[in-house]
Amino acid sequence: ARHLLGIEHLAPDEIVTVLDLAERYVALNRRTVKRTEALAGLTQINMFFENSTRTQSSFELAGKRLGADVMNMSMQTSSVKKGETLIDTALTLNAMHPDLLVVRHASSGAVDLLAQKVNCAVINAGDGKHEHPTQALLDALTIRRSKGRITGLTVAICGDVAHSRVARSNMLLLGKMGNRVRLIGPPTLVPSAFGDMGAEIHDDMASGLKGADVVMMLRLQKERMDGGFIPSEREYFHRYGLDADKLSHAEPDAIVMHPGPMNRGVEIDGTIADDITRSVIQEQVEMGVAVRMAVMDLLAQNLRAERGRAAVDGTY
Ligand code: CP
């Protein structure tokens, strides 16, 4: 494929290919000298129209470690602030011949639209409530490393599923790989329609976490609750915040995950988040760099092959 727009477009064998290559990059990233030349000569532009700590920094590091020329567009100081549209901004950058565009946008579908307008590979770094494919891939790598497999597991995704692109991409990936997914949260935050994607829905943590191998917590995404019901944080923590008592319903060796950013005392107790015997939250961040290196390496191979064919045809 030219782009990575969503897990919905990936087959199970393609997911495994990304994870296997990412394992090699995990080993490289733990060395003192981390640089390779897989993207040498290529230009990567990161366009983040929404805030990010983990995704933007890991894409930047990933590109640099692969030898690309990496540019971070500062959207706060760009002409988007003067009214330029997403598509015009993308076409302007496209005219500078980038090879990889990494895009985060608040609107679901915006990254797919942009991908239709440019000549380079586009990677979705999160679009609205739609998809965050590299997050699901890094979560899958983290789970596979902890559990030794990424199939046949019971994974509980807890909290604000309704507004979460992370939940949606994870549901798709875990379903494709043959896992059982449970969604836990209040009915206002876990619409029953998600059951159509093959997940079981629970509105209490005790029943939802029973027998879970993986417990994935989500942030309350108030920025997407425009005008809708926003629960009180204290009451929310009491019913749905992960603490030792609620975690005791999961398997004794269940791992605790959180994509970040985390709100301690709202969806997760700080003691659980910091307990390295259960929490793999920091490992998720480490896997994020390796997975993004693997994704960009594979897309660059496809891009080079496509351009090689086009050069032979005289169309590039
Ligand atoms: N998990 C995630 O996407 O984090 P950031 O918003 O910090 O990139």
Side-chain angles (χ1 to χ4, degrees):
R2 159 90 74 92
H3 310 296
L4 176 62
L5 299 175
I7 297 296
E8 66 183 314
H9 307 295
L10 293 184
D13 66 313
E14 292 175 305
I15 292 168
V16 172
T17 298
V18 174
L19 302 189
D20 289 348
L21 181 57
E23 279 290 358
R24 289 172 34 201
Y25 284 124
V26 172
L28 177 78
N29 287 336
R30 289 182 177 182
R31 298 207 318 235
T32 306
V33 176
K34 301 167 175 67
R35 197 171 157 107
T36 66
E37 299 300 325
L39 299 189
L42 301 187
T43 300
Q44 171 192 338
I45 301 181
N46 297 333
M47 296 169 70
F48 279 67
F49 293 87
E50 262 194 345
N51 294 346
S52 171
T53 295
R54 282 145 285 269
T55 313
Q56 182 163 1
S57 56
S58 58
F59 266 115
E60 182 178 354
L61 267 185
K64 287 178 172 165
R65 288 181 183 173
L66 294 172
D69 296 313
V70 184
M71 187 182 90
N72 286 305
M73 273 296 293
S74 168
M75 302 323 292
Q76 292 305 317
T77 55
S78 75
S79 288
V80 168
K81 292 285 169 197
K82 300 178 194 165
E84 190 163 44
T85 65
L86 165 71
I87 297 303
D88 284 335
T89 307
L91 290 176
T92 302
L93 293 174
N94 190 52
M96 300 180 197
H97 297 290
D99 303 291
L100 294 144
L101 273 184
V102 180
V103 186
R104 170 170 286 191
H105 199 278
S107 300
S108 303
V111 185
D112 290 51
L113 185 68
L114 184 150
Q116 294 165 25
K117 308 281 181 188
V118 296
N119 302 322
C120 59
V122 175
I123 302 171
N124 182 359
D127 64 324
K129 296 185 278 186
H130 178 225
E131 281 236 32
H132 192 351
T134 56
Q135 179 70 47
L137 289 163
L138 77 88
D139 288 341
L141 183 61
T142 308
I143 294 170
R144 196 175 76 166
R145 288 172 66 90
S146 287
K147 294 286 163 197
R149 66 191 198 279
I150 185 65
T151 190
L153 297 167
T154 299
V155 180
I157 304 179
C158 315
D160 183 4
V161 175
H163 301 100
S164 176
R165 56 198 177 208
V166 174
R168 198 162 179 286
S169 288
N170 264 303
M171 259 187 275
L172 288 166
L173 187 150
L174 292 164
K176 280 175 195 255
M177 300 307 293
N179 299 281
R180 185 172 170 190
V181 178
R182 303 222 189 106
L183 304 176
I184 314 173
T188 45
L189 297 179
V190 186
S192 53
F194 281 94
D196 299 343
M197 291 174 74
E200 282 173 37
I201 296 182
H202 294 256
D203 71 359
D204 82 290
M205 293 287 273
S207 72
L209 291 181
K210 196 165 185 310
D213 300 298
V214 177
V215 183
M216 202 179 274
M217 302 309 298
L218 300 172
R219 180 176 64 90
L220 281 180
Q221 295 176 82
K222 293 180 182 173
E223 72 275 21
R224 293 193 220 289
M225 294 183 187
D226 36 47
F229 172 72
I230 300 182
S232 112
E233 290 187 352
R234 207 138 75 108
E235 191 184 339
Y236 184 82
F237 181 72
H238 177 66
R239 289 208 57 194
Y240 296 103
L242 189 68
D243 56 15
D245 181 45
K246 295 189 191 81
L247 183 57
S248 70
H249 295 283
E251 286 295 296
D253 62 350
I255 56 169
V256 174
M257 306 180 76
H258 194 306
M262 183 161 56
N263 288 143
R264 290 167 183 259
V266 181
E267 72 272 8
I268 189 165
D269 187 274
T271 319
I272 297 290
D274 296 334
D275 176 1
I276 57 165
T277 66
R278 308 301 294 271
S279 164
V280 292
I281 294 170
Q282 295 308 319
E283 190 173 344
Q284 286 174 269
V285 178
E286 181 186 2
M287 295 309 119
V289 181
V291 154
R292 287 163 182 137
M293 290 171 84
V295 164
M296 291 199 291
D297 182 348
L298 292 165
L299 290 182
Q301 289 178 35
N302 293 348
L303 195 68
R304 286 192 164 110
E306 189 185 316
R307 287 178 179 171
R309 282 193 300 275
V312 171
D313 300 344
T315 53
Y316 184 75

